[in-house]
Amino acid sequence: MAEPVEVFHGGDEVTQGCFSKIGRLKGFVTTTTSFIFFFFLVVIGALFWLDIPIIRGNPFSFTSEVHHERIPFPLTCSDSVNYTAAFKPKASSAKTCPDYFRWIHQDLKPWKASGITKDVIERGIPSADFRLVIVNGTAYVDRYRPSYQTRDLFTLWGILQLLRLYPGKVPDLDLLFYCGDNTVIMRRDYTGLFAKPSPPPPVFHYCGQKAALDIIFPDWTFWGWLEVNIKPWEEILRAIKKGREKVKWEKREPYAYWKGAITSRDRSHLMRCNVSRKHEWNVRVYLQDWGKEIGEGFRHSNLEDQCTHRYKIYAEGVTWSVSEKYILACDSMTLMIKPKFYDFFSRSLVPMQHFWPIRRRKKCKQLKFAVDWGNNHTHEAQAIGKAGSKFIEEMVAMRNVYDYMFHLLNEYSKLLKFKPTIPPNAQRLCAETTEQGLAKEFMLQSMVKSPSDELPCALPPAFEPQDIQASLDSKKNTNSAFGSSTVSGGAAFVSASACFFIPSAMIRSAFL
């Protein structure tokens, strides 16, 4: 394993993109031009050194992301197999869906009273990468702009697998989808004196936040992340479960581990917590150079080989990060730097049951406190780690992912006030793959082989307003216990996996 790197620069939020190709300077360069060029470099260097924010989209922001040639979605269709005729599920499902399914009702609430018209959908086209229409069980896509990497390819592939799993059960629908990082439908735009026409356009997306109205859908990595060689979810989860058995929890390195690319301020600041000549924060962080990994065949980025520390850190990237589920699956206690964004399942994660919360301010001290506490309370720390892994393995099993997709699309379709029709520029999507190489391998690994013999799980009812408030208050109180220096006596935490008390003196020591 590579040695931890010591990083001295402040860093900043780095937007995703590609390195610009810089041609060689030709010809004679005057003294004046040389001076201006040198001054320009000094200014840019100062921006990084002084930790001055770089605005998203700035041409001088950098990243280790590597551009890949776009892959078109397969359009070779076969009607030789009638999956609908083979779909003969049991009469009813005895299983109730996981609790996080209840957020479906909340995410669709902005359109509950008004419904969704075609005009409302089309107002969202400037924010979308593609439009998906399902008519009589067949999917069609109308692309508006290229998405980043192959996110749209694998998202659409996942929807096709849902149609194979529950043929004839997914209703007709018409929706817009955005495959980027940042949320796009902001709540502030549809409230107040200068609000845009209501209701807001419904746009499906991978993540949400309190200030946004994006409809949250499972991200593309459940069917594979081609560009960084991360296999489909079922495959990589099996590999992680096998990999974590190589080093038992008690024998793992007694430090907090993080490895990734610096794509946010939180991650940049996290680098300051690394071991150095001056400090030992019990943190080990490693920079991930994807360009180098691609060149070396991904030999040092296997997720199943990263379950070697007792504690793993989750830090958001540009927004939410798909790394969350891989980190939680490791059995290590997850130290989660307070996220601003959430995906479809993370709103049901409970602090001090599934993870240990870390506030953004003074995170180095907090990380050290958490590690010291865990090393002195190994049974409790291990219990939190195992509870997080159990949640991911059971609640976010692939069958539940498909059921979430089914219920979200089904509830969404009930809001449509028009009959979906195929857009004139749309192309039919097919469940067969004509791709080659790794894309085809991932598709074959994640392909639904036959229709389900069971109906989807039963969707639980919507949250009552007091339920949501109670959940928010509980998380706020937990964070306050770790962020306040005036806590009297200490903080007691009770969960399904552990019950313990942390004296206030220990809590204060992490923040003073």
Side-chain angles (χ1 to χ4, degrees):
M1 180 177 294
E3 291 296 318
V5 294
E6 185 171 348
V7 180
F8 296 97
H9 65 272
D12 210 304
E13 176 172 341
V14 182
T15 58
Q16 297 193 16
C18 306
F19 284 118
S20 299
K21 295 182 178 179
I22 303 176
R24 296 181 177 178
L25 294 176
K26 297 181 179 181
F28 178 78
V29 181
T30 65
T31 303
T32 301
T33 303
S34 299
F35 174 79
I36 294 174
F37 182 71
F38 176 76
F39 177 78
F40 178 81
L41 292 178
V42 170
V43 171
I44 295 303
L47 289 176
F48 280 98
W49 183 263
L50 295 174
D51 195 25
I52 298 176
I54 296 179
I55 299 174
R56 181 171 176 80
N58 191 306
F60 307 120
S61 59
F62 295 90
T63 178
S64 61
E65 297 285 358
V66 178
H67 177 72
H68 291 263
E69 184 178 356
R70 288 189 48 75
I71 301 175
F73 198 87
L75 295 173
T76 301
C77 301
S78 170
D79 297 317
S80 60
V81 180
N82 187 346
Y83 289 103
T84 304
F87 184 47
K88 298 179 180 179
K90 298 175 183 178
S92 63
S93 175
K95 184 182 70 170
T96 300
C97 301
D99 191 63
Y100 64 82
F101 279 56
R102 300 174 72 182
W103 289 103
I104 289 174
H105 306 287
Q106 190 68 20
D107 289 346
L108 296 176
K109 189 175 180 180
W111 302 274
K112 184 177 180 179
S114 64
I116 299 172
T117 64
K118 180 172 284 191
D119 177 67
V120 169
I121 289 177
E122 291 179 346
R123 280 198 277 110
I125 288 177
S127 300
D129 290 339
F130 64 81
R131 184 173 190 168
L132 174 74
V133 175
I134 297 177
V135 176
N136 296 328
T138 300
Y140 303 85
V141 65
D142 189 1
R143 281 189 172 85
Y144 300 127
R145 61 187 180 192
S147 73
Y148 182 70
Q149 296 184 339
T150 50
R151 293 184 181 186
D152 57 347
L153 174 71
F154 283 94
T155 299
L156 291 166
W157 178 254
I159 292 171
L160 287 177
Q161 302 321 298
L162 174 67
L163 297 178
R164 288 170 66 94
L165 184 66
Y166 297 125
K169 294 298 180 181
V170 179
D172 289 2
L173 53 84
D174 186 341
L175 63 84
L176 298 174
F177 207 107
Y178 172 63
C179 300
D181 288 321
N182 286 301
T183 49
V184 290
I185 307 300
M186 305 310 294
R187 192 181 301 272
R188 65 175 179 268
D189 294 334
Y190 299 92
T191 58
L193 183 61
F194 301 102
K196 296 180 180 179
S198 189
V203 177
F204 285 67
H205 186 208
Y206 305 125
C207 74
Q209 61 167 320
K210 185 178 180 180
L213 297 172
D214 299 34
I215 301 173
I216 305 169
F217 195 83
D219 69 75
W220 77 100
T221 62
F222 284 97
W223 300 275
W225 189 353
L226 177 67
E227 289 76 14
V228 295
N229 196 39
I230 294 180
K231 298 177 182 178
W233 176 233
E234 289 184 318
E235 293 290 325
I236 194 62
L237 181 58
R238 276 194 289 267
I240 291 175
K241 290 170 69 174
K242 184 177 180 181
R244 74 191 186 198
E245 295 301 319
K246 294 179 182 178
V247 183
K248 296 299 181 182
W249 195 93
E250 298 83 357
K251 300 293 184 181
R252 295 181 186 180
E253 295 290 328
Y255 305 110
Y257 172 94
W258 181 83
K259 185 175 185 179
I262 302 178
T263 55
S264 68
R265 184 177 295 275
D266 272 343
R267 291 186 176 187
S268 174
H269 292 172
L270 179 61
M271 302 305 295
R272 302 172 183 175
C273 304
N274 207 7
V275 61
S276 67
R277 291 184 293 268
K278 295 182 178 180
H279 298 288
E280 170 57 276
W281 300 112
N282 291 340
V283 172
R284 301 293 184 266
V285 294
Y286 303 84
L287 288 175
Q288 179 70 75
D289 185 340
W290 285 115
K292 182 179 180 181
E293 280 300 298
I294 291 170
E296 296 181 355
F298 302 99
R299 289 183 308 201
H300 307 294
S301 60
N302 291 328
L303 297 175
E304 60 268 32
D305 296 333
Q306 297 180 24
C307 299
T308 55
H309 292 67
R310 292 181 180 180
Y311 316 94
K312 295 197 69 175
I313 300 169
Y314 171 74
E316 289 185 324
V318 177
T319 54
W320 106 111
S321 172
V322 300
S323 66
E324 182 179 37
K325 56 184 176 290
Y326 309 122
I327 290 171
L328 285 163
C330 247
D331 259 1
S332 303
M333 185 170 83
T334 298
L335 309 181
M336 187 175 294
I337 298 174
K338 187 179 180 181
K340 299 177 182 177
F341 299 85
Y342 46 79
D343 56 21
F344 73 101
F345 67 83
S346 60
R347 284 173 285 187
S348 286
L349 290 171
V350 180
M352 302 310 297
Q353 178 178 334
H354 302 118
F355 66 92
W356 182 289
I358 301 292
R359 296 180 66 138
R360 296 188 198 101
R361 294 184 66 251
K362 301 183 179 180
K363 59 176 63 71
C364 296
K365 287 187 176 182
Q366 293 183 63
L367 289 167
K368 177 174 171 52
F369 170 75
V371 172
D372 286 343
W373 180 88
N375 287 337
N376 289 314
H377 302 82
T378 55
H379 176 75
E380 292 87 347
Q382 189 173 4
I384 295 174
K386 287 189 175 296
S389 291
K390 183 178 180 181
F391 180 95
I392 287 296
E393 292 171 32
E394 297 179 0
M395 299 297 101
V396 197
M398 202 64 213
R399 182 56 179 262
N400 284 331
V401 175
Y402 281 125
D403 282 4
Y404 188 94
M405 295 163 59
F406 173 84
H407 284 299
L408 176 59
L409 296 179
N410 190 53
E411 295 301 310
Y412 171 83
S413 71
K414 295 176 183 178
L415 300 173
L416 298 182
K417 302 183 75 174
F418 65 97
K419 181 177 176 58
T421 56
I422 303 169
N425 296 323
Q427 293 177 299
R428 180 185 169 189
L429 297 181
C430 309
E432 297 87 357
T433 173
T434 57
E435 296 302 332
Q436 301 298 319
L438 198 58
K440 183 172 184 178
E441 180 181 335
F442 284 179
M443 288 180 175
L444 292 177
Q445 288 175 354
S446 60
M447 179 181 285
V448 170
K449 304 302 188 293
S450 62
S452 172
D453 60 355
E454 294 181 347
L455 290 171
C457 60
L459 180 65
F463 287 111
E464 295 294 335
Q466 60 267 26
D467 295 332
I468 298 177
Q469 190 59 48
S471 175
L472 294 174
D473 289 344
S474 176
K475 291 183 179 181
K476 183 178 180 179
N477 291 338
T478 300
N479 287 325
S480 295
F482 283 86
S484 173
S485 60
T486 60
V487 177
S488 177
F493 299 95
V494 180
S495 71
S497 57
C499 175
F500 44 87
F501 178 82
I502 303 178
S504 59
M506 291 183 65
I507 296 174
R508 286 196 298 270
S509 69
F511 301 95
L512 299 179

